[in-house]
Amino acid sequence: MQHIADETPTRDEKLIVLFEDFLGARAIRKPSAHTLAAYRRDLTAIARLLTDGDLAPDGATPLPLATLPISAVTTRRLRYAFGHFAAPRAAASVYRAWSTWNSFFAFLVADGRVPGNPMSAVDKPKVLAPAPKPLRGEETPERLLEAVAEGNDGRQRHPWPERDLVVLALALCAGLRLAELLDLRVGSVVGRPGERRVEVIGKGGRPRSVPIEPELDALVERYLESRRRRFGLRTVGRESALLVDRFSAPMRRGGLQYLVESCYRRAGIVDRVPAGAQLHALRHTFATRLAEDGASASEIMRLLGHATLTTSQNYIDVTAGQQRAAIKANRTNRALAKLAANDGD
């Protein structure tokens, strides 16, 4: 049966229309709102440079972005646009924009909208894997957890130590990213007592299941009970956001970042947080402590949701029991045991 396309491909399709088609297709993968916004910024930033008169074909009048056709996006113009884009930016930002445009053209080729992907002829920077940025100081994670659990900072207008402690613990003892925390539902914590785990959708839509110890499970339940008291039983359904603000609305990116920063201030450890890390410093602390306490590279990869190991020969498939043993060996869980034993009275 012959396939009939919804639209006849044309090299004169408007670039901004194709952007929307691409972003709509990407949305099916359920990326975070932050990720979609980053795609849009990278596409638009380069496209605006393509409207620069210096990049227009010889003798041609530059077109405004709203009317720029895909046929105007030549390899030569892309090279110049990326050259101008790269000048004031870090290599990681340039690489991310290159990857976005490469994915965009791969989508257009697969959809029959353009005959080929020109990005292979556009240089991209080499980006080294960033060095881990854990919290500095051997006992800093324990100091942070204990300070937040006490909840006696008079500067807080609306204290909620049960929630704040769960945020920190999920990052320190399960290695969750900021976007992963925001995407959690109440029903994301599953399993029988003693075999509990948190189910996460990570980068690239890759699912993973991270074992959690009874101490962290108890803190989650204590938080949910405090939430029921504040907002009522109906606000804690399985599909409800796990983390909410003081109005019972799902937490947003800025709110969660501010919460973590305020926890650092309350614990007096701001000087021990690597620059630019913030919540990611907790995830890096989780990973480095696993490594120090004997977890293998494969276990760490699986628990943190990384796509690959540095070299494929280091890959070792591990069982769920081995992953749980690695989690149990995490020293931060031992600090949670003491906090979980405290009933808050």
Side-chain angles (χ1 to χ4, degrees):
M1 181 176 177
Q2 185 178 5
H3 173 72
I4 301 176
D6 293 335
E7 298 180 8
T8 302
T10 171
R11 286 285 290 170
D12 290 326
E13 289 186 87
K14 300 297 183 289
L15 191 61
I16 58 172
V17 173
L18 296 176
F19 285 169
E20 296 306 318
D21 289 350
F22 168 70
L23 293 171
R26 282 278 158 164
I28 297 173
R29 302 185 182 186
K30 305 297 288 183
S32 69
H34 174 73
T35 298
L36 279 176
Y39 288 153
R40 187 182 296 278
R41 284 196 303 272
D42 289 338
L43 292 169
T44 304
I46 297 296
R48 292 192 187 284
L49 289 169
L50 292 170
T51 65
D52 190 324
D54 292 338
L55 302 183
D58 292 342
T61 301
L63 296 173
L65 179 56
T67 60
L68 189 69
I70 186 64
S71 58
V73 186
T74 63
T75 301
R76 173 182 173 274
R77 297 181 74 189
L78 277 171
R79 285 180 183 144
Y80 277 104
F82 268 90
H84 284 273
F85 180 82
R89 292 175 173 84
S93 297
V94 181
Y95 187 90
R96 187 195 65 213
W98 187 96
S99 296
T100 299
W101 275 81
N102 187 54
S103 297
F104 171 60
F105 272 107
F107 162 76
L108 296 183
V109 171
D111 215 33
R113 316 291 273 275
V114 297
N117 184 345
M119 293 305 297
S120 60
V122 178
D123 283 342
K124 59 181 182 292
K126 293 182 179 180
V127 180
L128 298 177
K133 295 183 177 181
L135 296 173
R136 292 186 288 266
E138 180 64 22
E139 301 301 325
T140 299
E142 290 75 20
R143 176 174 166 180
L144 173 63
L145 291 169
E146 290 169 1
V148 171
E150 289 174 1
N152 57 5
D153 188 341
R155 293 172 294 180
Q156 284 188 284
R157 289 186 294 176
H158 305 281
W160 196 354
E162 295 91 347
R163 181 206 54 193
D164 299 354
L165 194 58
V166 162
V167 169
L168 299 177
L170 284 170
L172 279 169
C173 294
L176 302 195
R177 301 177 176 94
L178 186 148
E180 294 168 350
L181 287 168
L182 295 176
D183 287 342
L184 289 178
R185 307 291 101 184
V186 171
S188 296
V189 181
V190 299
R192 298 178 297 180
E195 297 181 1
R196 302 280 276 171
R197 61 191 185 277
V198 57
E199 296 185 337
V200 183
I201 301 298
K203 277 188 175 181
R206 295 187 296 272
R208 73 180 187 277
S209 183
V210 183
I212 61 175
E213 286 297 287
E215 296 82 5
L216 176 50
D217 188 27
L219 291 180
V220 172
E221 185 50 48
R222 185 187 299 174
Y223 154 63
L224 292 176
E225 182 55 37
S226 74
R227 184 168 150 186
R228 295 183 189 101
R229 292 195 302 268
R230 284 173 178 246
F231 307 118
L233 184 63
R234 293 183 179 180
T235 66
V236 193
R238 282 188 55 82
E239 294 304 315
S240 303
L242 179 63
L243 301 176
V244 298
D245 62 21
R246 63 188 179 91
F247 301 107
S248 191
M251 291 203 75
R252 303 179 70 174
R253 186 178 185 85
L256 187 55
Q257 288 174 323
Y258 180 81
L259 185 156
V260 172
E261 291 168 7
S262 71
C263 289
Y264 291 153
R265 289 193 297 271
R266 277 179 265 162
I269 63 164
V270 173
D271 60 332
R272 301 186 184 188
V273 182
Q278 298 305 321
L279 188 140
H280 223 59
L282 306 179
R283 173 176 160 87
H284 284 185
T285 300
F286 169 75
T288 54
R289 284 197 162 188
L290 286 175
E292 290 168 356
D293 292 336
S296 70
S298 183
E299 289 170 322
I300 294 171
M301 184 196 77
R302 299 279 293 265
L303 291 168
L304 271 76
H306 292 155
T308 61
L309 291 169
T310 304
T311 53
S312 59
Q313 62 263 35
N314 289 332
Y315 183 81
I316 303 171
D317 195 19
V318 295
T319 66
Q322 288 172 310
Q323 290 186 44
R324 184 167 294 281
I327 287 285
K328 194 174 185 66
N330 185 357
R331 285 168 285 163
T332 315
N333 272 314
R334 298 200 286 270
L336 291 183
K338 182 171 65 174
L339 298 175
N342 183 359
D343 61 9
D345 293 338

